[in-house]
Amino acid sequence: MVSENFDIPKNLSPELPILPLRQGFLLPGVGSPFNVARKSSLAALSAAEDEGWLVVALQNDSREEVAPADLLTVGVLAKLGQQVWAQNDRQARVIEGVARVRFVVNQVEPHLTGRWELAEAPWPDGDVEFVAAQRALRDASERVAEKASVPPQIRTMMKRASRPELLVDVVASVLDAPMDWKREILMTLDPMTRIKKVLDQLAVLEEVLDAQRSIQERVSSDMRGMERKAILRRQLEAIQEELGEEGEDELQRLSDKLAEVDLPMEVRESVDRELKRVKRVPEGSAERTVALDWLGWVAEMPWGKSTADEVDLSAVEGQLDESHYGLEEVKKQVLQHLAVRKLSGQGRADVLLLVGPPGVGKTSIVEAIAEATGRRMVRVALGGMRDEAELRGHRRTYVGARPGRLVEGLRRGGADDPVVLFDEVDKLGRGYQGDPGSALLEILDPEQNHAFVDHYLEVPFDLSRALFVATANDLSNIPAPLLDRMEVVPLEGYTKAEKLGIARKHVLPKLAVNAGVDLADVVLSDDVLEAAIEGWTREAGVRQLQRTLGKIYRAAAVEKAKGGLEAPLSVEEDELSQYLGRRRFRPENHDAPARPGIATGLAWTPVGGDVLYVEASDVPGKGQLKLTGQLGDVMKESAQAALTYVLSNAAALEIPADVAGNRDVHVHVPAGATPKDGPSAGVTMFTALASLLSDRPVAPDLAMTGEVSLRGRVLPVGGIKSKVLAAHARGLKRVILPKANEPDLEDVPEEVKRELEVLLVENMSEVLDAALGGASESTVG
């Protein structure tokens, strides 16, 4: 809206309310609605209602609280217009600019108030140059308005501005120009300087409009048969050319970038061929896009870029000790592995495979290795992966083809020697798209990975400098050829004492940070921590322990947030249920009754060791054997062999001769919803059947593991450390192990071996002697 200059009342107060604008803009001769929401601004409008006048000042920034120093020194004397709308604490008001003024703020609260004086310089109407500038301004503004298709209402505003001082401010208000330029126009008091600045801006805008029209005419002939995306790209290039801001050609940019990269000879030849070929491909075609994308990937790969310095094994050892409690054997193997890579020149050592239950620190060990060696870390999650292309990439002939996850990780890492973590390697899938496990064979083989070829890149990349580490829960699910490429490092689990140390050193500080409280805000004694470990968690690692103790720290956070945590939250053992819920496990939780036919075995699972009960019962029948409990083939065969062994030694075991023909035997393994298989239950099944048929109970404080031959020879099994830890956690006092597993006891913590009696046996006669309190004087087996 254009306003012819108001007659300023002669009796207008020399002090007026000041309205600061943090958004928007106002010049003399122009009226516009403004949204007002700040309390001080609303107060200024209210104070201006009496006289209907105020001073509009522009802020230097958009801050909420405004000080006099935040305002431009030149403002606009303005007349209050009609109210457009009002809602709650907001209103929209039309304000019409009248004249430039200088002002001095002399009051801040409840709104800005200040003294003002006119700052408009006189217009030299008789000067020839000034008259010519006025005409040039009107002609240029009309031309630009016509070329830019300015809305009719704005063109009407410009025609109504009959006087030159109004016209120059109206044109400056409607121009599509930066806000800094408009503020400069407000501050420019000299009329001729102001007109020249507006004429310069009109000239730039007219040149841009002419260039746009020229561009549209030039590209209109190519409209037919071109995709919309290609048209917009051509227009952009033409605009940049007309404005003298021609964009850098993407192909040339890639060519220059590739020239700076130290590419191997074979890769350089492939790149040069592709650069020559892509120059002949028409712009905008899909083939050119694919080629440029491939060149971009090659240019951004870390060819010969390393981040690892000389490995300081002492520093690595200190880092591992700081980040992980216990695990001494694991740390030793990691250091040996790094020492081999340091001394071997090419760094071709075996690939580490960290195997253990969830929560024992496999991934965090890899992170500590990366941090200690100064390498980047690249994590490739393999769980559920079924498509080989996810590892080795897709061929470029496919739509949407991309490199594999390994290449993408190397690109993000920016180095050719990162620590590459292949997580959950035992959970690889296999589908019609290929076998990802087979793709890993080349990646992990130190004799092949120096020339790894991704299907998308199709050029060899040297992976021999990378440090590969894999993690898994269960070795049985890893293909044998893949397992042969790796050195297994077992992480069996932690004892109660180790969990207590981990909680003190790592878990509690982390929980305090996560909860937003200080470590000293929660007091937990060792007895309380041990009670939480025994009563609320039963796991090989410490993940569940961390979740459990986190409830206490979150409770402390609630109290602190309410302002009620005046003293540290001290939790006693008998108060744990208030924070953690009811107790899940009881101490000495070994509940196998001392009845004939029940034996306690030890089993290994992907989440740690466990206690396995085998129950046997007999009923009148014809000598048949019934098996229940989701047993696999190996356990079914163990049960058949056990029955044959027991019956063949019936006399030595004091079993009545007519039992075999007149009784049916039923063997059941509880927790039937869980599939179970493996050789570890062989000794347990033999003992359960011998106990049943000889009517002698098994010692209740005894657990056992091992496989048995048909002649009664006890054979070794795996997972000894996990099984022994499980027996110790359940409060058992004696454990029967195969004699051949004696070396595995070195992995068992000393405090556990001190509290357990370990019986090493070679045949079933020794087992039954310990379990049943001795057979008859005849030799069993």
Side-chain angles (χ1 to χ4, degrees), residues 236-256:
L236 177 61
E237 293 173 355
I239 289 173
Q240 293 174 334
E241 182 180 354
E242 289 290 337
L243 293 178
E245 300 175 358
E246 184 176 356
E248 184 181 14
D249 181 74
E250 184 175 5
L251 180 59
Q252 185 61 45
R253 179 182 63 81
L254 287 174
S255 180
D256 295 341

Side-chain angles (χ1 to χ4, degrees), residues 660-707:
N662 300 328
R663 312 293 290 178
D664 287 344
V665 177
H666 183 179
V667 176
H668 177 68
V669 181
T674 304
K676 295 169 282 292
D677 199 11
S680 298
V683 167
T684 313
M685 286 190 171
F686 274 64
T687 305
L689 287 172
S691 170
L692 171 70
L693 297 178
S694 66
D695 197 27
R696 285 182 292 176
V698 178
D701 63 345
L702 179 68
M704 58 197 72
T705 186
E707 177 61 308

Side-chain angles (χ1 to χ4, degrees), residues 385-390 428-439:
M385 184 184 292
R386 295 180 176 273
D387 190 352
E388 178 187 352
E390 291 189 55
L428 276 172
R430 188 171 186 175
Y432 67 90
Q433 304 97 330
D435 181 11
S438 299

